[in-house]
Amino acid sequence: MERGKEQGMVVMPQQNPLEQLQAKFKEVETSFRGWLAKQSLPVEAAVVTTTSAAQGAAIGAFMGTLTNDVSSSLPTPPQASLDAQAMASLKQAQALSGGPLIQARNFAVMTGVNAGISCVMKRLRGKEDVQSSMVAAFGSGAMFSLVSGMGGPNQIANAATSGLFFALVQGGLFQLGQKFSQPPAEDIYYSRTRSMLSSLGLQNYEKNFKKGFALRDVKIPPGPRLLILDHIQRDAELKEKQGRRR
C-alpha cells in the first residue's frame, strides 16, 4: 500500500536557483519599467539619469582601480615648465588614467547625461533613432570633456569637438547595430510554399523544400506530391508562373 502511494507521488523537478533569481530580477525590472512609463517626463528623466549615473560610477570606479597603478607610476613634471599645449595633454592623460574616484565621476557624468538626454528625446519624439542617439552622445561627450578637464585652455571648443566625436561614433555604432539586428528578409516564394504545405497538412515536408529548388528535386512521396501538384493547378497565379518557366 505504501509502495503504491510512493509510486503515485509526482516528484517536481527542483528549479535552478540561478534561473529563479534571473526570473525574479526580470519581473522586478518589468514592473519598474511599467511604473516609470507612467511618470511625468521630469520624473522619468531624473530617475533614468540617476540610475544610469550610479551604474556608470560603479564601472568607472572599477576601471579606476585598474588604471590607478599606471597613473601613479607616471612622472609629474613641474607645471611651471609646461606650456599650454603640454598642460592640456597632461590633463588629458590624467583624466584617462585617474584613480577610482576620478573615473567614477567621469563615467557617472558620461552615462547619466547620455541616458537622460536619450530618455527626453524618446519621450518627445516618440521613437529612438540615430538622431536621438547622436544628440545624447553629443551631450555626454561635451559634459565628459568639461568635467574631466580634457578641454584645456579653450574648454568650449574642445567640449564641442568631443561631443561631435562622441556623436559620430555613436551614430556609426547605432547604424551598425540596426543593420545586424534586423532579421533577413524571407523569400516570398518560400513563404507561400510553407503556407501551402500548412493548408494541405504537409508541413512535415517543409524541410525538404529547403534543400530542393524544384518539386522534382525534393524527396516527397507520390501521394503528397500529387496533392501539391493539384493545389498548384487550382491556384491560377502559381499555374501561370509554372507555365512561364516552361
Side-chain angles (χ1 to χ4, degrees), residues 191-204 206:
S191 178
R192 293 196 60 182
T193 301
R194 184 174 59 183
S195 177
M196 176 191 67
L197 292 175
S198 179
S199 64
L200 295 175
L202 302 176
Q203 55 267 26
N204 293 333
E206 179 183 343

Side-chain angles (χ1 to χ4, degrees), residues 93-152:
Q94 291 175 346
L96 296 175
S97 61
L101 294 179
I102 295 177
Q103 294 297 338
R105 177 201 62 189
N106 295 344
F107 275 80
V109 171
M110 184 170 56
T111 57
V113 171
N114 189 294
I117 296 178
S118 297
C119 174
V120 173
M121 294 293 293
K122 184 177 180 181
R123 178 71 77 91
L124 294 178
R125 304 182 72 232
K127 59 181 179 179
E128 185 177 2
D129 54 7
V130 64
Q131 287 83 5
S132 300
S133 180
M134 292 182 68
V135 170
F138 180 86
S140 63
M143 288 302 299
F144 174 77
S145 177
L146 294 174
V147 173
S148 63
M150 294 180 59

Side-chain angles (χ1 to χ4, degrees), residues 82-99:
L82 298 178
D83 56 7
Q85 187 67 27
M87 181 64 67
S89 300
L90 178 61
K91 289 184 178 180
Q92 291 179 0
Q94 291 175 346
L96 296 175
S97 61

